[in-house]
Amino acid sequence: MNLQQLFKMQKELDDFIEKTQNIERDVFKEKGLALMVELAELANETRCFKFWSTKGASERDVILEEYVDSIHFILSLGLLKGYTAIDKWPVIEEKRDLTETFLMTQDDILKFISQPTEDRYLAIWQCYGLIAYNLGFTFEDVVAAYIEKNEENYNRQRSGY
């Protein structure tokens, strides 16, 4: 599976949500904010910034689920802006401080929301490739978790989430 298949799955989910929720307006900024929230939730589960606490990070599957929540919104934002030519997972094998990486990612998301260029969109993907590497996630891990969460998102829509 490649990113094009994920874009296709996300398009189908977005269309389903728009129909189910009667969305007939541009929701770019809402999806941008949702991505920022998901990034914060991911950072919270890693606990990388919680210098005051001795409690460790959440379980790997919890962190992976939070990670793929972001992937849903990254794909969705790309669909809204027509930035879907990317087909390969961004592999960046560089050990980085997670706190710094989360802050850099947040900055790139904010820049993209204010000026949604393709280069800024690709920068977000690069950040998420870096995050995945530093969390020990492979593309196969991400795809499997994305597919599982995608089905959960459909079920949530069907049940009036």
Side-chain angles (χ1 to χ4, degrees):
M1 183 169 281
N2 63 32
L3 284 178
Q4 287 303 305
Q5 291 164 304
L6 295 184
F7 274 114
K8 181 180 183 297
M9 290 176 70
Q10 189 63 45
K11 170 93 171 89
E12 291 167 359
L13 177 60
D14 287 354
D15 290 348
F16 183 79
I17 291 170
E18 288 175 17
K19 182 179 178 186
T20 303
Q21 300 296 329
N22 297 314
I23 306 298
E24 297 179 0
R25 62 185 177 83
D26 182 8
V27 291
F28 175 78
K29 288 188 177 182
E30 286 83 351
K31 288 182 180 186
L33 179 56
L35 177 56
M36 291 181 56
V37 169
E38 294 301 342
L39 177 69
E41 289 178 2
L42 173 60
N44 195 49
E45 294 299 337
T46 70
R47 301 181 60 82
C48 65
F49 62 95
K50 295 188 176 189
F51 61 89
W52 60 87
S53 176
T54 57
K55 182 179 174 184
S58 295
E59 296 293 321
R60 184 179 191 276
D61 60 328
V62 172
I63 295 172
L64 181 57
E65 183 176 350
E66 290 299 339
Y67 181 88
V68 298
D69 285 347
S70 290
I71 298 302
H72 275 85
F73 286 107
I74 296 169
L75 292 164
S76 192
L77 287 164
L79 288 162
L80 281 176
K81 294 301 177 185
Y83 302 147
T84 60
I86 181 173
D87 61 354
K88 292 192 187 232
W89 182 252
V91 177
I92 301 177
E93 296 180 350
E94 177 185 335
K95 281 291 185 194
R96 293 280 299 264
D97 178 78
L98 275 176
T99 299
E100 289 178 15
T101 304
F102 282 124
L103 291 170
M104 176 181 67
T105 305
Q106 182 182 36
D107 186 50
D108 283 343
I109 293 168
L110 282 168
K111 287 176 182 174
F112 176 70
I113 293 168
S114 67
Q115 294 182 332
T117 66
E118 189 168 13
D119 284 344
R120 289 187 172 177
Y121 179 70
L122 294 174
I124 295 170
W125 274 113
Q126 295 295 312
C127 288
Y128 272 85
L130 184 61
I131 292 169
Y133 176 76
N134 281 277
L135 292 175
F137 299 151
T138 66
F139 181 59
E140 292 76 20
D141 295 334
V142 173
V143 168
Y146 176 88
I147 291 169
E148 185 176 326
K149 189 63 183 258
N150 196 46
E151 187 57 38
E152 181 181 328
N153 287 337
Y154 274 108
N155 290 335
R156 285 177 169 177
Q157 288 298 310
R158 290 181 191 111
S159 66
Y161 174 75

